[in-house]
Amino acid sequence: INRDVSSLFLRTENWTPYKNIDTIENKAFYECINLKDISLPHELKVLGSDVFARCNSMTSVVIPNSLTKIGSSVFANCENLSDVQFEEGLKYIGEYMFTGCNSLTKVVIPNTVEGIDNYAFQSCEKLENLIIEDGDTELKIGGFQPWYCTNVTNLYLGRNIGVLPGFYMPSFWVMTTPVQYTIGEKVTDLSWLQCQKLETIVLKGVTPPSCNSFSEGQYAKTNVCIPEGTKDTYMQAEPWKNFWNLTEGTPSGIDHVAIDNDKMESIYSSNGCKVSKMMPGINIVPKIRKQSQWQSQLQ
């Protein structure tokens, strides 16, 4: 399918392709602003560049695992695209593929994906939750960070991270926004870890992963949860032995507590560490007492 054919669909809201379509060429549906629903065929092999870019009515898409070639900016600036699903078996996520998709809040990367190219999710400003599923092989990333200018606060990492050919490690993973990292048991190397805002690390592995050192302030303030029965092992491993709040067990899974912010003085984790906002697990929330309450207790 090319742009000449797709011009017939400029005003349509739904598109179901013909059978046996294996290629959709560059800009085939570019700026089809009324297009809401598409069904990509399982015979599809090639998606050209900007195929569905600026299709601002589109809300969801399933990426088939049959794709072998993906151009640049395929779904770029689809402002209402909020649900993206990658089929198991997909090998690659293309350059700028979802850049500027400001309605995306969660992305799940299957363990079959071998590479994610430059700026794949750049400027997805509402993207807060990123899940990279458990896997035995490295996920290779482009040199220009796929999640640049996002607001990912919670990251689940189930695989080791590597780089695509032609890039080197320090340039690619500059994700400083996460508040919580959850690290799967198959991850052995965290040498790339950036942690400017980090408050909690949950480590699933019984063997401590290798990691660079942290600042003295991070050792004091960051909560680290490790598997039951592994504290002796972690207390002998750098840098994990330096954390003040190294706790066996996992967070409770409580991720929302209704509180009155006007009456909230501060928030503490269950081990007494002051944190900036409510986190998964148990939180201690002292409330400000009115002067009359203090006076009544003193009398």
Side-chain angles (χ1 to χ4, degrees), residues 3-298:
R3 182 65 174 172
D4 292 337
V5 175
S6 66
S7 63
L8 301 173
F9 300 98
L10 287 178
R11 296 186 180 181
T12 191
E13 293 186 0
N14 305 283
W15 178 67
T16 301
Y18 311 114
K19 292 182 178 179
N20 302 320
I21 290 177
D22 63 3
T23 300
I24 303 178
E25 296 183 4
N26 297 349
K27 293 192 173 182
F29 291 88
Y30 182 76
E31 288 190 334
C32 288
I33 59 175
N34 295 313
L35 186 62
K36 292 181 179 180
D37 300 309
I38 62 170
S39 179
L40 297 177
H42 285 88
E43 298 83 7
L44 189 62
K45 302 293 185 185
V46 178
L47 271 176
S49 297
D50 297 292
V51 171
F52 296 101
R54 298 186 182 276
C55 291
N56 288 336
S57 295
M58 187 184 301
T59 58
S60 64
V61 66
V62 177
I63 309 299
N65 56 22
S66 56
L67 287 169
T68 58
K69 184 178 180 180
I70 301 174
S72 175
S73 307
V74 177
F75 295 94
N77 300 304
C78 292
E79 294 181 353
N80 290 300
L81 183 60
S82 60
D83 181 17
V84 173
Q85 297 181 38
F86 302 100
E87 286 189 347
E88 291 286 339
L90 183 71
K91 301 293 186 184
Y92 173 73
I93 296 175
E95 185 177 50
Y96 295 98
M97 192 167 181
F98 297 97
T99 189
C101 293
N102 290 330
S103 294
L104 276 178
T105 60
K106 180 179 179 180
V107 170
V108 179
I109 308 296
N111 57 24
T112 58
V113 172
E114 298 174 355
I116 303 178
D117 216 327
N118 300 330
Y119 297 133
F121 297 91
Q122 177 189 230
S123 298
C124 294
E125 296 177 353
K126 294 182 180 179
L127 181 58
E128 295 182 349
N129 295 287
L130 174 62
I131 299 172
I132 298 174
E133 292 185 340
D134 294 328
D136 295 317
T137 59
E138 278 189 343
L139 174 63
K140 297 186 182 298
I141 305 244
F144 299 100
Q145 207 262 96
W147 294 281
Y148 181 70
C149 287
T150 64
N151 289 298
V152 173
T153 55
N154 292 286
L155 169 67
Y156 179 89
L157 180 68
R159 306 162 62 184
N160 283 318
I161 296 294
V163 290
L164 292 172
F167 299 105
Y168 63 99
M169 182 69 75
S171 70
F172 84 99
W173 189 279
V174 188
M175 184 185 288
T176 59
T177 57
V179 174
Q180 176 167 319
Y181 279 107
T182 302
I183 308 299
E185 61 183 356
K186 296 184 177 182
V187 177
T188 60
D189 178 34
L190 295 175
S191 59
W192 46 264
L193 186 64
Q194 300 283 335
C195 48
Q196 291 181 6
K197 298 182 180 180
L198 189 61
E199 295 180 359
T200 302
I201 305 174
V202 180
L203 298 166
K204 300 286 189 179
V206 296
T207 301
S210 61
C211 188
N212 295 331
S213 61
F214 295 74
S215 70
E216 290 301 320
Q218 289 165 338
Y219 285 132
K221 295 180 180 180
T222 304
N223 301 306
V224 179
C225 300
I226 57 177
E228 295 283 353
T230 64
K231 191 163 187 176
D232 288 345
T233 302
Y234 275 86
M235 287 300 293
Q236 298 177 36
E238 292 282 358
W240 310 110
K241 68 180 184 181
N242 301 313
F243 282 94
W244 297 12
N245 303 304
L246 187 66
T247 307
E248 290 186 351
T250 56
S252 69
I254 300 171
D255 58 10
H256 178 72
V257 179
I259 57 175
D260 187 345
N261 289 325
D262 292 336
K263 297 180 180 180
M264 184 176 67
E265 184 178 66
S266 54
I267 306 171
Y268 294 83
S269 64
S270 59
N271 56 15
C273 184
K274 190 173 183 179
V275 293
S276 63
K277 67 177 184 178
M278 303 296 288
M279 295 296 298
I282 298 173
N283 295 265
I284 303 168
V285 186
K287 290 186 177 180
I288 298 175
R289 296 188 179 186
K290 294 180 179 179
Q291 185 176 5
S292 58
Q293 291 178 305
W294 290 107
Q295 290 176 340
S296 64
Q297 289 189 3
L298 293 172

